[in-house]
Amino acid sequence: MSKVWSETLYDAYGQTFSVDKIYFESKTEHQHLMIFHNAVFGRVMVLDGIVQTTEKDEFIYHEMLTHVPLLSHANAKRVLIIGGGDGGILREVCKHSSVEHITQVEIDQAVIDMAKEYLPAHSNGAFDDPRANIVIDDGIKFVTESNEKFDIIISDSTDPIGPGEVLFSSPFYQGCKRCLNDNGILVTQNGVAFMQPDEVTTTAKRLAPLFKDHSFYGAAVPTYIGGIMTFAWASDNNEYRNPEPDTLRQRFEEAKIKTSYYNPEIHQASFALPQYIMNALKDIK
Amino acid sequence: MKAFLSDVEIQRLAEQNGSPLLVLDCAQLQKQYKSLQQALPGVDFFYALKAFPNDAVINSLKQMGVGFDLASSGEIEQIRQHRVNPRRTIHTHPIKKDKDIRDALRFGCTTFVVDNIEELKKFRKYRHRVGLLLRLSFQGMTAKVDLSRKFGCAANEALHLIHRARQMGIHIKGLSFHVGSQSASPDAHVDAIQHCLDIMAQSDEPLSTLDIGGGFPVNYDGNTVTIEQFCAPIRTALEAIPSDINVIAEPGRFLVAPAVISISSVIGKANRSGTTWYYLDDGVYGSFSGRIYDHAEYPLRTLNSTDVKPCVLAGPTCDSIDVIAENILLPEMEIGDLVIAEMMGAYTAATATGFNSLDKAKIIVLNEVAKENNSALMQKKTYSDKTVNIDTAVTFH
């Protein structure tokens, strides 16, 4: 009798993992969460039947959602992370010695506590970084009410059914806009466009009226099945998306950041979108 | 149907637990499932939880590989506690709130039932995640509990709805029908299967699933055909179905009805206009709610076998409608004597009310199947007062 867990994101297609050991399982008031061990991906964290992160491939997602905006901006001092309870984004942001302050707003303390214990490599001590201020609150409430300003906002949310839903809403993006300094950048997790094209078009429609420039960039993360994961990008500075290769290379070298997926060439190439996404976006202005 | 408890055992249970009681025998439940499985080989069964939403029933059936037919968020929560693989669940309520759909998706149930265009539209935003069954209604469905009036689209609308779904990018993966509960004859099933096969053949899109619903009758009156006899023509009809089509069914009543008996006590006795009225501690607002909602007449008996005479059995509430049986032939009883009702598993406890603030019948479980022990795998920890640990998401096939 093999023990398996099957993702139930789609009715007619899905990935299945053998389960070697369950480390943690709980149902909080916000979501149903579990961490188990799989021989290929190491520890796998799932929320509401959907894979959120695994030890083996998390670096792709976290590096791309962090270093692309930070190295595009080049002078980011203050960073806001929405969600991201596993600490992976925080870990990557902390690699930037130029960053002076990080606020992370996570809705569920239990996710952080659980991740610290069962996915320690994700945060790798970053929750103890003196620059990090962890706030347990609803992300949309924070960006709507806070008077703080940030250079970069990174939204590392769950999927848009459940508590993460508001983090894909117009009011949330408006809140982000008001919390961004001039020339700030907002990036968000935006789903796998091949499987769920609506997530891209909906986000584009909501970002377009708020920012002078919006787009998407992508990276293939094996356990976000079905093609490339897209990240939404929004800023009032439309030069960020096309940095000079030499400039980007120089910034990366000066930052002295060790990565396993990100490099300046991947950074630039990631903004090249497949034609199916371009077609879906072509009428949104 | 032979009683699964001797009179001596019934007496003992009442002495130990008081009354009213509902006694569930899991061995009887599993026997029922096996008989249905034998009568309809190749059909994949999803127990209609609404009939008797009981944890011991869920556990017994789950361990025999039965899936679950769910109709509400409350039912989903109950099933979640049992670590049922969400892929082994279907949500079959034809009318849903958006929240019902979302709760089901968050649990991992991705199969839903629709029967009209407005319901179809509700799935537009979830179209990349779900597979739908289109529920049909056919003329001539004559079950004891008729469901063809309230739910189901007409056969001539089916292709149009499938076409509309495709335009909306929604995947209709199959057809379903439900002839109603406690069906009098298998003719309705046979007709419906043939109609569905015609529609499947005409559809441009492949339809991979046929859900033949429930309606499998149990023997309340002593004259109902066996499940083998009832299913024989259905089996023949199913032979015409291509092997790549997945045939499923949603038995509820058939599995649980014969697995439960009720034990109640005479708490009052009066002679009214020449007829003896016995007042029991259970009635139509309690376990006998099926007398009202389910049109059911349960076999009733007592533990003594003296000469019978006509009497009335009434329930314990103040309401005049609370009468279980009139003109029923039973031996003379005294206060404290037990009344036994058989076939009491389906739509009894499920629809019992709390009227008059009377306690509902206590449920006694016999031959309970041991739960799969996953505790060695679980390392539980509570992080805050808000966190409730439960054993649910990993499924063990």
Side-chain angles (χ1 to χ4, degrees), chain A residues 24-34 47-48 108 110, chain B residues 73 76-77 80-81 103 106-107 381 384-392:
Chain A
F24 182 79
E25 183 177 9
S26 86
K27 192 180 183 197
T28 71
E29 62 182 309
H30 302 293
Q31 49 213 3
H32 180 201
L33 186 148
M34 180 174 60
L47 267 177
D48 292 338
D108 194 347
Chain B
S73 297
I76 286 167
E77 278 313 304
R80 195 202 284 277
Q81 307 302 323
D103 287 345
R106 290 189 66 187
F107 164 63
K381 189 157 182 177
S384 72
D385 294 345
K386 294 169 185 170
T387 309
V388 182
N389 284 303
I390 51 166
D391 305 350
T392 59

PDB file of all heavy atoms in Angstrom, chain A residues 24-34 47-48 108 110, chain B residues 73 76-77 80-81 103 106-107 381 384-392:
ATOM      1  N   PHE A  24       3.842  17.482   9.468  1.00  0.00           N
ATOM      2  CA  PHE A  24       2.920  18.431  10.084  1.00  0.00           C
ATOM      3  C   PHE A  24       1.627  18.476   9.288  1.00  0.00           C
ATOM      4  O   PHE A  24       1.638  18.409   8.065  1.00  0.00           O
ATOM      5  CB  PHE A  24       3.556  19.826  10.094  1.00  0.00           C
ATOM      6  CG  PHE A  24       2.708  20.868  10.760  1.00  0.00           C
ATOM      7  CD1 PHE A  24       2.662  20.965  12.140  1.00  0.00           C
ATOM      8  CD2 PHE A  24       1.933  21.739  10.006  1.00  0.00           C
ATOM      9  CE1 PHE A  24       1.870  21.918  12.762  1.00  0.00           C
ATOM     10  CE2 PHE A  24       1.146  22.695  10.623  1.00  0.00           C
ATOM     11  CZ  PHE A  24       1.118  22.781  12.005  1.00  0.00           C
ATOM     12  N   GLU A  25       0.540  18.575  10.038  1.00  0.00           N
ATOM     13  CA  GLU A  25      -0.737  18.770   9.360  1.00  0.00           C
ATOM     14  C   GLU A  25      -1.645  19.545  10.297  1.00  0.00           C
ATOM     15  O   GLU A  25      -1.739  19.226  11.487  1.00  0.00           O
ATOM     16  CB  GLU A  25      -1.378  17.433   9.021  1.00  0.00           C
ATOM     17  CG  GLU A  25      -2.674  17.618   8.248  1.00  0.00           C
ATOM     18  CD  GLU A  25      -3.296  16.296   7.821  1.00  0.00           C
ATOM     19  OE1 GLU A  25      -2.830  15.248   8.262  1.00  0.00           O
ATOM     20  OE2 GLU A  25      -4.256  16.354   7.048  1.00  0.00           O
ATOM     21  N   SER A  26      -2.296  20.554   9.779  1.00  0.00           N
ATOM     22  CA  SER A  26      -3.224  21.295  10.636  1.00  0.00           C
ATOM     23  C   SER A  26      -4.249  22.024   9.802  1.00  0.00           C
ATOM     24  O   SER A  26      -4.042  22.302   8.624  1.00  0.00           O
ATOM     25  CB  SER A  26      -2.480  22.303  11.495  1.00  0.00           C
ATOM     26  OG  SER A  26      -2.305  23.509  10.788  1.00  0.00           O
ATOM     27  N   LYS A  27      -5.353  22.309  10.447  1.00  0.00           N
ATOM     28  CA  LYS A  27      -6.308  23.194   9.809  1.00  0.00           C
ATOM     29  C   LYS A  27      -6.432  24.423  10.694  1.00  0.00           C
ATOM     30  O   LYS A  27      -6.899  24.335  11.814  1.00  0.00           O
ATOM     31  CB  LYS A  27      -7.655  22.515   9.630  1.00  0.00           C
ATOM     32  CG  LYS A  27      -8.517  23.357   8.710  1.00  0.00           C
ATOM     33  CD  LYS A  27      -9.866  22.792   8.467  1.00  0.00           C
ATOM     34  CE  LYS A  27     -10.571  23.719   7.478  1.00  0.00           C
ATOM     35  NZ  LYS A  27     -11.991  23.506   7.466  1.00  0.00           N
ATOM     36  N   THR A  28      -5.965  25.541  10.200  1.00  0.00           N
ATOM     37  CA  THR A  28      -6.080  26.775  10.962  1.00  0.00           C
ATOM     38  C   THR A  28      -7.375  27.451  10.561  1.00  0.00           C
ATOM     39  O   THR A  28      -8.101  26.957   9.701  1.00  0.00           O
ATOM     40  CB  THR A  28      -4.919  27.735  10.666  1.00  0.00           C
ATOM     41  OG1 THR A  28      -5.086  28.244   9.350  1.00  0.00           O
ATOM     42  CG2 THR A  28      -3.581  27.025  10.779  1.00  0.00           C
ATOM     43  N   GLU A  29      -7.644  28.578  11.180  1.00  0.00           N
ATOM     44  CA  GLU A  29      -8.878  29.277  10.820  1.00  0.00           C
ATOM     45  C   GLU A  29      -8.809  29.807   9.387  1.00  0.00           C
ATOM     46  O   GLU A  29      -9.811  30.161   8.801  1.00  0.00           O
ATOM     47  CB  GLU A  29      -9.130  30.430  11.791  1.00  0.00           C
ATOM     48  CG  GLU A  29      -8.039  31.480  11.767  1.00  0.00           C
ATOM     49  CD  GLU A  29      -8.294  32.588  12.789  1.00  0.00           C
ATOM     50  OE1 GLU A  29      -9.391  33.132  12.794  1.00  0.00           O
ATOM     51  OE2 GLU A  29      -7.377  32.883  13.567  1.00  0.00           O
ATOM     52  N   HIS A  30      -7.609  29.889   8.845  1.00  0.00           N
ATOM     53  CA  HIS A  30      -7.479  30.457   7.506  1.00  0.00           C
ATOM     54  C   HIS A  30      -7.313  29.401   6.417  1.00  0.00           C
ATOM     55  O   HIS A  30      -7.752  29.578   5.306  1.00  0.00           O
ATOM     56  CB  HIS A  30      -6.274  31.401   7.440  1.00  0.00           C
ATOM     57  CG  HIS A  30      -6.360  32.516   8.426  1.00  0.00           C
ATOM     58  ND1 HIS A  30      -7.308  33.496   8.319  1.00  0.00           N
ATOM     59  CD2 HIS A  30      -5.647  32.777   9.536  1.00  0.00           C
ATOM     60  CE1 HIS A  30      -7.162  34.343   9.326  1.00  0.00           C
ATOM     61  NE2 HIS A  30      -6.167  33.925  10.082  1.00  0.00           N
ATOM     62  N   GLN A  31      -6.625  28.332   6.739  1.00  0.00           N
ATOM     63  CA  GLN A  31      -6.310  27.395   5.680  1.00  0.00           C
ATOM     64  C   GLN A  31      -5.890  26.035   6.223  1.00  0.00           C
ATOM     65  O   GLN A  31      -5.552  25.888   7.375  1.00  0.00           O
ATOM     66  CB  GLN A  31      -5.202  27.973   4.789  1.00  0.00           C
ATOM     67  CG  GLN A  31      -4.011  28.493   5.583  1.00  0.00           C
ATOM     68  CD  GLN A  31      -3.358  29.703   4.926  1.00  0.00           C
ATOM     69  OE1 GLN A  31      -3.821  30.197   3.904  1.00  0.00           O
ATOM     70  NE2 GLN A  31      -2.286  30.175   5.509  1.00  0.00           N
ATOM     71  N   HIS A  32      -5.909  25.070   5.337  1.00  0.00           N
ATOM     72  CA  HIS A  32      -5.547  23.705   5.685  1.00  0.00           C
ATOM     73  C   HIS A  32      -4.148  23.428   5.144  1.00  0.00           C
ATOM     74  O   HIS A  32      -3.892  23.560   3.955  1.00  0.00           O
ATOM     75  CB  HIS A  32      -6.569  22.757   5.057  1.00  0.00           C
ATOM     76  CG  HIS A  32      -6.284  21.330   5.360  1.00  0.00           C
ATOM     77  ND1 HIS A  32      -6.755  20.300   4.620  1.00  0.00           N
ATOM     78  CD2 HIS A  32      -5.548  20.777   6.350  1.00  0.00           C
ATOM     79  CE1 HIS A  32      -6.340  19.163   5.133  1.00  0.00           C
ATOM     80  NE2 HIS A  32      -5.600  19.424   6.179  1.00  0.00           N
ATOM     81  N   LEU A  33      -3.265  23.040   6.019  1.00  0.00           N
ATOM     82  CA  LEU A  33      -1.844  23.059   5.695  1.00  0.00           C
ATOM     83  C   LEU A  33      -1.164  21.752   6.074  1.00  0.00           C
ATOM     84  O   LEU A  33      -1.514  21.156   7.090  1.00  0.00           O
ATOM     85  CB  LEU A  33      -1.287  24.204   6.523  1.00  0.00           C
ATOM     86  CG  LEU A  33       0.120  24.687   6.421  1.00  0.00           C
ATOM     87  CD1 LEU A  33       0.096  26.176   6.697  1.00  0.00           C
ATOM     88  CD2 LEU A  33       0.948  24.011   7.463  1.00  0.00           C
ATOM     89  N   MET A  34      -0.209  21.316   5.250  1.00  0.00           N
ATOM     90  CA  MET A  34       0.473  20.058   5.544  1.00  0.00           C
ATOM     91  C   MET A  34       1.894  20.090   4.973  1.00  0.00           C
ATOM     92  O   MET A  34       2.144  20.695   3.943  1.00  0.00           O
ATOM     93  CB  MET A  34      -0.319  18.907   4.915  1.00  0.00           C
ATOM     94  CG  MET A  34       0.313  17.556   5.152  1.00  0.00           C
ATOM     95  SD  MET A  34      -0.729  16.219   4.555  1.00  0.00           S
ATOM     96  CE  MET A  34      -0.847  16.645   2.834  1.00  0.00           C
ATOM     97  N   LEU A  47      -1.131  23.629   0.763  1.00  0.00           N
ATOM     98  CA  LEU A  47      -2.212  24.396   1.381  1.00  0.00           C
ATOM     99  C   LEU A  47      -3.474  24.150   0.563  1.00  0.00           C
ATOM    100  O   LEU A  47      -3.455  24.301  -0.661  1.00  0.00           O
ATOM    101  CB  LEU A  47      -1.905  25.893   1.299  1.00  0.00           C
ATOM    102  CG  LEU A  47      -1.193  26.566   2.461  1.00  0.00           C
ATOM    103  CD1 LEU A  47      -0.935  28.015   2.104  1.00  0.00           C
ATOM    104  CD2 LEU A  47      -1.988  26.470   3.731  1.00  0.00           C
ATOM    105  N   ASP A  48      -4.544  23.767   1.240  1.00  0.00           N
ATOM    106  CA  ASP A  48      -5.819  23.551   0.555  1.00  0.00           C
ATOM    107  C   ASP A  48      -5.664  22.703  -0.708  1.00  0.00           C
ATOM    108  O   ASP A  48      -6.196  23.035  -1.767  1.00  0.00           O
ATOM    109  CB  ASP A  48      -6.470  24.899   0.191  1.00  0.00           C
ATOM    110  CG  ASP A  48      -6.918  25.645   1.436  1.00  0.00           C
ATOM    111  OD1 ASP A  48      -7.118  25.003   2.478  1.00  0.00           O
ATOM    112  OD2 ASP A  48      -7.053  26.883   1.362  1.00  0.00           O
ATOM    113  N   ASP A 108      -0.955  34.669   8.972  1.00  0.00           N
ATOM    114  CA  ASP A 108      -1.079  33.525   9.878  1.00  0.00           C
ATOM    115  C   ASP A 108       0.254  33.203  10.556  1.00  0.00           C
ATOM    116  O   ASP A 108       1.176  32.678   9.937  1.00  0.00           O
ATOM    117  CB  ASP A 108      -1.571  32.320   9.048  1.00  0.00           C
ATOM    118  CG  ASP A 108      -2.053  31.176   9.919  1.00  0.00           C
ATOM    119  OD1 ASP A 108      -1.782  31.197  11.142  1.00  0.00           O
ATOM    120  OD2 ASP A 108      -2.696  30.259   9.371  1.00  0.00           O
ATOM    121  N   ALA A 110       0.894  30.887  12.506  1.00  0.00           N
ATOM    122  CA  ALA A 110       1.140  29.438  12.520  1.00  0.00           C
ATOM    123  C   ALA A 110       1.977  29.005  11.321  1.00  0.00           C
ATOM    124  O   ALA A 110       2.789  28.085  11.423  1.00  0.00           O
ATOM    125  CB  ALA A 110      -0.184  28.681  12.549  1.00  0.00           C
TER     126      ALA A 110
ATOM    127  N   SER B  73     -21.270  22.062   2.318  1.00  0.00           N
ATOM    128  CA  SER B  73     -19.973  22.320   2.950  1.00  0.00           C
ATOM    129  C   SER B  73     -19.858  21.569   4.275  1.00  0.00           C
ATOM    130  O   SER B  73     -18.778  21.144   4.666  1.00  0.00           O
ATOM    131  CB  SER B  73     -19.791  23.817   3.175  1.00  0.00           C
ATOM    132  OG  SER B  73     -19.782  24.475   1.924  1.00  0.00           O
ATOM    133  N   ILE B  76     -18.766  18.149   3.517  1.00  0.00           N
ATOM    134  CA  ILE B  76     -17.344  18.154   3.159  1.00  0.00           C
ATOM    135  C   ILE B  76     -16.480  18.155   4.413  1.00  0.00           C
ATOM    136  O   ILE B  76     -15.513  17.406   4.519  1.00  0.00           O
ATOM    137  CB  ILE B  76     -17.015  19.372   2.268  1.00  0.00           C
ATOM    138  CG1 ILE B  76     -17.563  19.136   0.860  1.00  0.00           C
ATOM    139  CG2 ILE B  76     -15.505  19.629   2.217  1.00  0.00           C
ATOM    140  CD1 ILE B  76     -17.571  20.352  -0.013  1.00  0.00           C
ATOM    141  N   GLU B  77     -16.858  18.980   5.390  1.00  0.00           N
ATOM    142  CA  GLU B  77     -16.078  19.025   6.632  1.00  0.00           C
ATOM    143  C   GLU B  77     -16.068  17.669   7.326  1.00  0.00           C
ATOM    144  O   GLU B  77     -15.044  17.229   7.842  1.00  0.00           O
ATOM    145  CB  GLU B  77     -16.628  20.103   7.571  1.00  0.00           C
ATOM    146  CG  GLU B  77     -16.133  21.491   7.237  1.00  0.00           C
ATOM    147  CD  GLU B  77     -14.621  21.548   6.997  1.00  0.00           C
ATOM    148  OE1 GLU B  77     -13.847  21.134   7.884  1.00  0.00           O
ATOM    149  OE2 GLU B  77     -14.204  21.974   5.910  1.00  0.00           O
ATOM    150  N   ARG B  80     -13.778  15.343   5.438  1.00  0.00           N
ATOM    151  CA  ARG B  80     -12.385  15.758   5.602  1.00  0.00           C
ATOM    152  C   ARG B  80     -11.759  15.111   6.857  1.00  0.00           C
ATOM    153  O   ARG B  80     -10.599  14.725   6.844  1.00  0.00           O
ATOM    154  CB  ARG B  80     -12.328  17.286   5.718  1.00  0.00           C
ATOM    155  CG  ARG B  80     -10.960  17.881   5.527  1.00  0.00           C
ATOM    156  CD  ARG B  80     -10.888  19.245   6.174  1.00  0.00           C
ATOM    157  NE  ARG B  80     -11.552  20.320   5.459  1.00  0.00           N
ATOM    158  CZ  ARG B  80     -11.005  21.004   4.452  1.00  0.00           C
ATOM    159  NH1 ARG B  80      -9.822  20.690   4.016  1.00  0.00           N
ATOM    160  NH2 ARG B  80     -11.663  22.001   3.905  1.00  0.00           N
ATOM    161  N   GLN B  81     -12.570  15.007   7.903  1.00  0.00           N
ATOM    162  CA  GLN B  81     -12.061  14.433   9.155  1.00  0.00           C
ATOM    163  C   GLN B  81     -11.633  12.973   8.969  1.00  0.00           C
ATOM    164  O   GLN B  81     -10.883  12.449   9.771  1.00  0.00           O
ATOM    165  CB  GLN B  81     -13.126  14.482  10.265  1.00  0.00           C
ATOM    166  CG  GLN B  81     -13.748  15.839  10.520  1.00  0.00           C
ATOM    167  CD  GLN B  81     -12.737  16.895  10.892  1.00  0.00           C
ATOM    168  OE1 GLN B  81     -11.778  16.617  11.593  1.00  0.00           O
ATOM    169  NE2 GLN B  81     -12.934  18.103  10.413  1.00  0.00           N
ATOM    170  N   ASP B 103     -15.690  26.079  -1.202  1.00  0.00           N
ATOM    171  CA  ASP B 103     -15.365  25.162  -0.109  1.00  0.00           C
ATOM    172  C   ASP B 103     -14.991  23.789  -0.656  1.00  0.00           C
ATOM    173  O   ASP B 103     -14.051  23.148  -0.180  1.00  0.00           O
ATOM    174  CB  ASP B 103     -16.549  25.025   0.851  1.00  0.00           C
ATOM    175  CG  ASP B 103     -16.745  26.269   1.715  1.00  0.00           C
ATOM    176  OD1 ASP B 103     -15.819  27.102   1.781  1.00  0.00           O
ATOM    177  OD2 ASP B 103     -17.827  26.405   2.325  1.00  0.00           O
ATOM    178  N   ARG B 106     -11.548  23.991  -2.281  1.00  0.00           N
ATOM    179  CA  ARG B 106     -10.482  24.077  -1.281  1.00  0.00           C
ATOM    180  C   ARG B 106     -10.247  22.740  -0.597  1.00  0.00           C
ATOM    181  O   ARG B 106      -9.153  22.453  -0.147  1.00  0.00           O
ATOM    182  CB  ARG B 106     -10.791  25.171  -0.256  1.00  0.00           C
ATOM    183  CG  ARG B 106     -10.694  26.562  -0.849  1.00  0.00           C
ATOM    184  CD  ARG B 106     -10.786  27.629   0.210  1.00  0.00           C
ATOM    185  NE  ARG B 106      -9.642  27.579   1.107  1.00  0.00           N
ATOM    186  CZ  ARG B 106      -9.537  28.318   2.205  1.00  0.00           C
ATOM    187  NH1 ARG B 106     -10.500  29.148   2.525  1.00  0.00           N
ATOM    188  NH2 ARG B 106      -8.477  28.226   2.965  1.00  0.00           N
ATOM    189  N   PHE B 107     -11.292  21.930  -0.515  1.00  0.00           N
ATOM    190  CA  PHE B 107     -11.121  20.576   0.009  1.00  0.00           C
ATOM    191  C   PHE B 107     -10.416  19.716  -1.035  1.00  0.00           C
ATOM    192  O   PHE B 107      -9.615  18.837  -0.705  1.00  0.00           O
ATOM    193  CB  PHE B 107     -12.487  19.985   0.368  1.00  0.00           C
ATOM    194  CG  PHE B 107     -12.480  18.496   0.556  1.00  0.00           C
ATOM    195  CD1 PHE B 107     -11.724  17.908   1.565  1.00  0.00           C
ATOM    196  CD2 PHE B 107     -13.232  17.674  -0.274  1.00  0.00           C
ATOM    197  CE1 PHE B 107     -11.717  16.529   1.736  1.00  0.00           C
ATOM    198  CE2 PHE B 107     -13.229  16.305  -0.099  1.00  0.00           C
ATOM    199  CZ  PHE B 107     -12.470  15.726   0.902  1.00  0.00           C
ATOM    200  N   LYS B 381       1.293  19.039  16.480  1.00  0.00           N
ATOM    201  CA  LYS B 381       1.718  20.142  17.317  1.00  0.00           C
ATOM    202  C   LYS B 381       0.753  21.300  17.142  1.00  0.00           C
ATOM    203  O   LYS B 381       0.343  21.618  16.042  1.00  0.00           O
ATOM    204  CB  LYS B 381       3.130  20.584  16.899  1.00  0.00           C
ATOM    205  CG  LYS B 381       3.716  21.584  17.856  1.00  0.00           C
ATOM    206  CD  LYS B 381       5.226  21.581  17.764  1.00  0.00           C
ATOM    207  CE  LYS B 381       5.809  22.545  18.763  1.00  0.00           C
ATOM    208  NZ  LYS B 381       7.268  22.521  18.755  1.00  0.00           N
ATOM    209  N   SER B 384      -0.997  27.601  18.200  1.00  0.00           N
ATOM    210  CA  SER B 384      -1.722  28.673  18.865  1.00  0.00           C
ATOM    211  C   SER B 384      -3.100  28.154  19.210  1.00  0.00           C
ATOM    212  O   SER B 384      -3.494  27.083  18.788  1.00  0.00           O
ATOM    213  CB  SER B 384      -1.831  29.900  17.965  1.00  0.00           C
ATOM    214  OG  SER B 384      -2.740  29.624  16.924  1.00  0.00           O
ATOM    215  N   ASP B 385      -3.829  28.928  19.979  1.00  0.00           N
ATOM    216  CA  ASP B 385      -5.174  28.516  20.348  1.00  0.00           C
ATOM    217  C   ASP B 385      -6.058  28.354  19.118  1.00  0.00           C
ATOM    218  O   ASP B 385      -7.026  27.625  19.126  1.00  0.00           O
ATOM    219  CB  ASP B 385      -5.807  29.570  21.276  1.00  0.00           C
ATOM    220  CG  ASP B 385      -5.070  29.638  22.602  1.00  0.00           C
ATOM    221  OD1 ASP B 385      -4.300  28.696  22.880  1.00  0.00           O
ATOM    222  OD2 ASP B 385      -5.250  30.616  23.329  1.00  0.00           O
ATOM    223  N   LYS B 386      -5.677  29.081  18.084  1.00  0.00           N
ATOM    224  CA  LYS B 386      -6.523  29.078  16.888  1.00  0.00           C
ATOM    225  C   LYS B 386      -6.296  27.830  16.041  1.00  0.00           C
ATOM    226  O   LYS B 386      -7.053  27.544  15.140  1.00  0.00           O
ATOM    227  CB  LYS B 386      -6.227  30.311  16.033  1.00  0.00           C
ATOM    228  CG  LYS B 386      -6.615  31.608  16.704  1.00  0.00           C
ATOM    229  CD  LYS B 386      -6.031  32.758  15.909  1.00  0.00           C
ATOM    230  CE  LYS B 386      -6.285  34.077  16.615  1.00  0.00           C
ATOM    231  NZ  LYS B 386      -5.540  35.163  15.996  1.00  0.00           N
ATOM    232  N   THR B 387      -5.211  27.109  16.303  1.00  0.00           N
ATOM    233  CA  THR B 387      -4.872  25.987  15.458  1.00  0.00           C
ATOM    234  C   THR B 387      -5.525  24.708  15.958  1.00  0.00           C
ATOM    235  O   THR B 387      -5.416  24.376  17.117  1.00  0.00           O
ATOM    236  CB  THR B 387      -3.360  25.792  15.437  1.00  0.00           C
ATOM    237  OG1 THR B 387      -2.767  27.041  15.136  1.00  0.00           O
ATOM    238  CG2 THR B 387      -2.955  24.772  14.413  1.00  0.00           C
ATOM    239  N   VAL B 388      -6.217  24.054  15.064  1.00  0.00           N
ATOM    240  CA  VAL B 388      -6.831  22.785  15.427  1.00  0.00           C
ATOM    241  C   VAL B 388      -6.219  21.710  14.548  1.00  0.00           C
ATOM    242  O   VAL B 388      -6.274  21.788  13.336  1.00  0.00           O
ATOM    243  CB  VAL B 388      -8.354  22.829  15.189  1.00  0.00           C
ATOM    244  CG1 VAL B 388      -8.976  21.517  15.630  1.00  0.00           C
ATOM    245  CG2 VAL B 388      -8.966  23.995  15.945  1.00  0.00           C
ATOM    246  N   ASN B 389      -5.607  20.746  15.160  1.00  0.00           N
ATOM    247  CA  ASN B 389      -5.001  19.681  14.369  1.00  0.00           C
ATOM    248  C   ASN B 389      -6.041  18.651  13.977  1.00  0.00           C
ATOM    249  O   ASN B 389      -6.835  18.218  14.782  1.00  0.00           O
ATOM    250  CB  ASN B 389      -3.900  18.989  15.164  1.00  0.00           C
ATOM    251  CG  ASN B 389      -2.657  19.841  15.209  1.00  0.00           C
ATOM    252  OD1 ASN B 389      -2.122  20.201  14.171  1.00  0.00           O
ATOM    253  ND2 ASN B 389      -2.224  20.200  16.393  1.00  0.00           N
ATOM    254  N   ILE B 390      -5.995  18.260  12.747  1.00  0.00           N
ATOM    255  CA  ILE B 390      -6.874  17.182  12.308  1.00  0.00           C
ATOM    256  C   ILE B 390      -6.099  16.307  11.345  1.00  0.00           C
ATOM    257  O   ILE B 390      -5.097  16.726  10.780  1.00  0.00           O
ATOM    258  CB  ILE B 390      -8.132  17.719  11.599  1.00  0.00           C
ATOM    259  CG1 ILE B 390      -7.725  18.720  10.515  1.00  0.00           C
ATOM    260  CG2 ILE B 390      -9.092  18.345  12.577  1.00  0.00           C
ATOM    261  CD1 ILE B 390      -8.830  19.022   9.581  1.00  0.00           C
ATOM    262  N   ASP B 391      -6.548  15.105  11.193  1.00  0.00           N
ATOM    263  CA  ASP B 391      -5.875  14.168  10.284  1.00  0.00           C
ATOM    264  C   ASP B 391      -6.658  14.119   8.997  1.00  0.00           C
ATOM    265  O   ASP B 391      -7.666  13.456   8.951  1.00  0.00           O
ATOM    266  CB  ASP B 391      -5.881  12.753  10.876  1.00  0.00           C
ATOM    267  CG  ASP B 391      -5.287  12.733  12.259  1.00  0.00           C
ATOM    268  OD1 ASP B 391      -4.713  13.751  12.651  1.00  0.00           O
ATOM    269  OD2 ASP B 391      -5.406  11.700  12.915  1.00  0.00           O
ATOM    270  N   THR B 392      -6.222  14.810   8.008  1.00  0.00           N
ATOM    271  CA  THR B 392      -7.098  14.784   6.836  1.00  0.00           C
ATOM    272  C   THR B 392      -6.458  14.647   5.465  1.00  0.00           C
ATOM    273  O   THR B 392      -6.876  13.809   4.699  1.00  0.00           O
ATOM    274  CB  THR B 392      -7.973  16.038   6.764  1.00  0.00           C
ATOM    275  OG1 THR B 392      -7.124  17.141   6.709  1.00  0.00           O
ATOM    276  CG2 THR B 392      -8.917  16.136   7.907  1.00  0.00           C
TER     277      THR B 392
END
